[in-house]
């Protein structure tokens, strides 16, 4: 059990070896852009679904990355717009 600090508590997600995992969601920064994804911290990989309007298809992008920030950098190069995540494991 982790101590509470200013109303927040730290969750122990465990490790890949113990079957634990933590993730964060990835979404476009600007309204009007489409897409949704997740990055899994212990697995060091993520996915992102979006509609490629130029090709008229739904695409799934997957990539391995050392952090959510690195994954977002790869995504932004591929989709051409900024994305953000809702949290991070320290």
């Amino acid at each position: 059990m982790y101590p509470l600090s200013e109303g927040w508590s730290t969750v122990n997600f465990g490790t890949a070896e113990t079957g634990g995992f933590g993730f964060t969601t990835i979404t476009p920064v600007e309204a009007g852009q489409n897409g949704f994804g997740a990055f899994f911290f212990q697995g060091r990989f993520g996915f992102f679904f979006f509609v490629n309007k130029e090709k008229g298809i739904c695409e799934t992008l997957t990539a391995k990355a050392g952090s959510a920030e690195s994954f977002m950098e790869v995504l932004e190069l591929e989709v051409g717009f900024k994305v953000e995540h809702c949290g991070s494991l320290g």
Side-chain angles (χ1 to χ4, degrees):
M1 186 72 137
Y2 292 86
L4 291 175
S5 173
E6 298 181 29
W8 290 92
S9 62
T10 302
V11 177
N12 181 357
F13 289 103
T15 65
E17 291 81 13
T18 62
F21 68 92
F23 69 94
T24 186
T25 56
I26 310 282
T27 58
V29 172
E30 293 183 32
Q33 297 290 354
N34 72 83
F36 177 80
F39 179 80
F40 297 88
F41 297 104
Q42 285 82 349
R44 296 186 178 154
F45 83 96
F47 67 85
F48 191 76
F49 299 111
F50 82 109
V51 175
N52 184 325
K53 295 175 185 175
E54 291 176 7
K55 295 180 181 177
I57 60 173
C58 182
E59 293 191 287
T60 304
L61 304 175
T62 59
K64 288 196 160 280
S67 67
E69 289 79 10
S70 296
F71 178 65
M72 292 186 323
E73 288 176 16
V74 170
L75 279 179
E76 289 172 0
L77 290 173
E78 290 295 319
V79 299
F81 53 82
K82 292 279 190 195
V83 295
E84 62 187 352
H85 64 86
C86 73
S88 177
L89 294 179

